[in-house]
Amino acid sequence: MARRRKKRKTKSNRWIGWVVCLVFLLAALYYYRPWEYFEEDVFTHDSQWPYKDETSGRPYSRGYDGIDISRHQGRIHWEVLSKNRDIQLIYVKATEGRRHKDSRYAEYIREARKAGFKVGSYHFLRKGSGKEQFEHFRKVVDRGKQDILPMVDVEAKGTRGMSRSEIQKILKEFVTEAKAYYGKSPVIYSNEAYYKKYLSPEFDNYYLFIANYNRKPVLPGKVKYDLWQYSEKGRVRGIWTWVDLIRLASGRRVRDLEI
């Protein structure tokens, strides 16, 4: 009988050991989030993609003040884009979460500056420490090659499953670190409905970049937006995919956003 109890006890200890190991494994997965390495932004396109103008058949866009771009625009014909007199500013995606760097970032920043555009960089916010996310952004972005304030992109795709308080905590950490580093608070991007639900009124005093593809954004109370993303289907000479279009708010100038 004694031996049987010993075997039962040994078997029980093994189960406890397995449970402890599983708990540590799950905790490590939650913290390090290895699947982030395999999300779409880590893969690069062929340097010649796209091979033809995917926006043909539609008239070229007019009446915009800037664009924001990421690797999804693929190969940009900078020799053509450089002649565009509508563009006063370009935001380029730099980072996402705690690990991603946009595969086209270095190329786009270099070429946009060479073409004479005012440029800024942006970060796509995800779950995880806002301080760590800004540190990742800081390491990728050369402050000396920025003309306008950095921007942090906060939207449903990146914060799915997070509570309002969790979103605000992470965003507050990011913008606090950014202000300490740049001397000014970054621009906060969101669509109108998301901003009202998750960010207002706590972030009403920041520079705001609001998306609404149907009409001019209307924010709570006396809050005003500074930049308006009014279309995600812009057709711009030199870019062979659809591109997001930006308008400055009434009374705003690019110099208001300069670092």
Side-chain angles (χ1 to χ4, degrees), residues 63-67 84-91 116-120 147-148 227 246-248 252-255 257-258:
Y64 54 93
D65 300 310
I67 59 176
N84 189 311
R85 296 294 175 261
D86 289 313
I87 298 176
Q88 298 183 51
L89 61 90
I90 297 180
Y91 267 113
F117 295 117
K118 296 283 188 180
V119 301
D147 302 301
I148 55 178
L227 296 163
I246 303 170
R247 281 181 183 152
L248 290 158
R252 277 294 181 203
R253 300 291 182 267
V254 175
R255 64 173 176 267
L257 301 172
E258 289 179 353

Side-chain angles (χ1 to χ4, degrees), residues 60-67 77-90 115-118 235-239 243 245:
Y60 286 106
S61 301
R62 300 176 62 86
Y64 54 93
D65 300 310
I67 59 176
H77 300 261
W78 291 99
E79 72 282 0
V80 176
L81 193 68
S82 65
K83 299 173 184 176
N84 189 311
R85 296 294 175 261
D86 289 313
I87 298 176
Q88 298 183 51
L89 61 90
I90 297 180
F117 295 117
K118 296 283 188 180
R235 188 182 185 210
V236 175
R237 294 182 191 275
I239 300 178
V243 64
L245 300 179

Side-chain angles (χ1 to χ4, degrees), residues 7 117 120 152:
K7 287 182 179 179
F117 295 117
V152 54

Side-chain angles (χ1 to χ4, degrees), residues 102-116:
D102 190 280
S103 58
R104 295 274 188 171
Y105 175 69
E107 170 196 344
Y108 286 171
I109 283 289
R110 181 184 68 250
E111 296 301 326
R113 287 177 60 82
K114 190 187 299 183

